[in-house]
Structures are given as structure tokens and as C-alpha cells.
Amino acid sequence: MIKALLFDYGGTLDTNGRHWAEVLWDAYKHEDIQVSKEQFREAYVYGERTLAQKPLICPDHNFLDVLRIKCHLQTQYMLQKGYLICRIEAERLADVVAQECYETAKKNTAATCEMLTRLKKHYKLALVSNFYGNLTTVLRDFGLYRYFDKIVESAVVSHRKPDPQIFHLAVDDLDLDYDECVVIGDSYTKDILPAQSLGCATIWLKGRGWDDNAVLEDNAVDNCIAVITRVDELEYYLR
């Protein structure tokens, strides 16, 4: 019997399965940025690596703060590489894109709250996320914090997905067995595989992403309860 649902956060509950790089890229295109997707991808990777190495995000930063920092790192990189020319325009672009993406996340999480309200009646809910140490602030800002019985954040516990230990911490704190838990996430390699290695059931949210499009083993999908393309399809498979 399933007693708990363990959710990924970024790219799952806040974008409905779209990788954040795709959300940002769409916002840049909306602002008519004159760079290629490959140039943007370089900037995105640079920004993520910088955030992994430097403590630029503080515990009291909400998600708009996070997006502003990310976008400014990206546009600074594109300026340094010569992909963008005007610094003033690049700074304006970063702020506009951050605000647009924040509104996107806000809209998606409003729908997520409705789903979690229903699921909370039947299951314990946990969040297992690679994040920057400010996840509680982000969840409170979006009205999501109250839904979760346990929150395991990589920056707090010093384990990062795909390390299965991060899922072990969540299951252990819920005082459940692995086979009583379903892990839901958008990354096959970071969410689904490590959860399955522990014996958890899994539902893969296979949306628009950059890192999970490789050819998978023949039995990879068969090992999941389901593969969904929208997070609101989840309830159908939990009936």
C-alpha cells in the first residue's frame, strides 16, 4: 500500500515538467534575445556551476531573488563572450526575464496547491530537492510549505541527487518502508533511478528537458508505475 509521495521540486512542481532551462529560454525568446540556443545553453550551465561553487543565494531569498541572480549570471556570461553587446540592455533583459519566469512559476504552483490539497488527504507528502539552502523561503512564498510532512534539501543535508542517500533520509524520517513510497520527478537519472535502487515505486514526469533524452534501457519505463507529461496526470495513476 502506498503511504507517501516524495516529490522533486524544480522542474516538477513549479514548471509542470519543463526543465528550467527551457522556461528561461522561452522567456529570453519572448524578449527577442539575439543569441542562439547553444550560446544560451553555455550561459545557463555557467550560471548553474557558479551557484554550485559560490554562496550567492541566501536562506531568505525567495524565488524571484534566485531567478534574478541566475539571469544576471547568464547575461554577464553572454556579455563576456560577446554574444550580447550592451551591458545596460543585458541588465534590463535579466530583470525582465526573471520577473516573467517568476510569474510562470507562481501560476504553476497555484495549480500544484490544488492537487496537493487533494493528495494530502490520502498520503504523507515529502519534498526531496537539490536546492540552494532557501527552499523553505521559496515554498512559503508560493504557499506550498504547509503541504509537506518532510523537506529534504541538498544544501542542508549535504547529499545531492542522484545520491540515493537523500531519498533514504526522507523515507527514514517518515518512518516508512521504501515500497510504501512513490517518488515523482522530472529527471530520470537524478530522481527515478536512485529511488528505484532503494525499492521505491516511481512516476517519471517526462516533460521538456535537456538531460533525459538519451536512449534508455529497454526495461527502464517498465519499472515505473507510469510515465506522465504533466504533473496533474499523477492523480489518475494513484487511484
Side-chain angles (χ1 to χ4, degrees), residues 222-236:
D222 292 339
N223 289 335
C224 296
I225 291 176
V227 178
I228 58 179
T229 58
R230 293 176 53 86
V231 75
D232 55 14
E233 296 172 356
L234 171 65
E235 292 176 277
Y236 174 84

Side-chain angles (χ1 to χ4, degrees), residues 9-108:
Y9 180 66
T12 299
L13 295 181
D14 58 355
T15 70
N16 205 10
R18 292 172 65 204
H19 191 286
W20 261 103
E22 294 290 344
V23 178
L24 286 159
W25 173 242
D26 286 347
Y28 278 117
K29 285 193 299 180
H30 184 253
E31 295 302 316
D32 197 30
I33 187 173
Q34 299 299 306
V35 299
S36 69
K37 190 170 186 179
E38 186 56 39
Q39 290 169 336
F40 162 72
R41 178 169 183 150
E42 288 178 28
Y44 178 84
V45 171
Y46 165 80
E48 294 304 301
R49 287 176 177 170
T50 300
L51 289 176
Q53 297 166 1
K54 298 179 180 180
L56 300 179
I57 296 175
C58 301
D60 62 347
H61 281 161
N62 68 13
F63 198 56
L64 180 56
D65 297 322
V66 173
L67 287 168
R68 283 174 174 156
I69 293 168
K70 284 176 178 273
C71 291
H72 279 280
L73 286 171
Q74 292 161 12
T75 54
Q76 287 168 16
Y77 177 90
M78 289 186 273
L79 280 167
Q80 292 168 1
K81 287 291 186 177
Y83 303 153
L84 297 175
I85 304 299
C86 177
R87 182 170 298 277
I88 294 175
E89 175 61 18
E91 291 176 354
R92 182 203 69 82
L93 179 66
D95 286 336
V96 170
V97 167
Q99 185 66 51
E100 180 175 331
C101 290
Y102 178 73
E103 294 302 325
T104 296
K106 195 180 207 179
K107 179 179 178 181
N108 285 328

Side-chain angles (χ1 to χ4, degrees), residues 126-195:
L127 203 60
V128 181
S129 177
N130 287 348
F131 220 74
Y132 308 103
N134 66 321
L135 186 55
T136 294
T137 300
V138 170
L139 295 174
R140 289 188 188 281
D141 182 39
F142 285 140
L144 290 170
Y145 181 78
R146 66 185 183 274
Y147 293 103
F148 295 100
D149 301 284
K150 180 63 183 177
I151 296 169
V152 182
E153 182 181 5
S154 61
V156 175
V157 301
S158 300
H159 292 283
R160 287 181 61 83
K161 294 184 284 187
D163 182 355
Q165 181 65 16
I166 196 169
F167 293 101
H168 169 76
L169 292 172
V171 175
D172 190 51
D173 280 356
L174 292 172
D175 195 25
L176 295 173
D177 294 328
Y178 294 119
D179 61 3
E180 295 177 311
C181 301
V182 176
V183 170
I184 303 103
D186 68 306
S187 173
Y188 189 83
T189 54
K190 293 179 182 178
D191 297 312
I192 305 307
L193 282 179

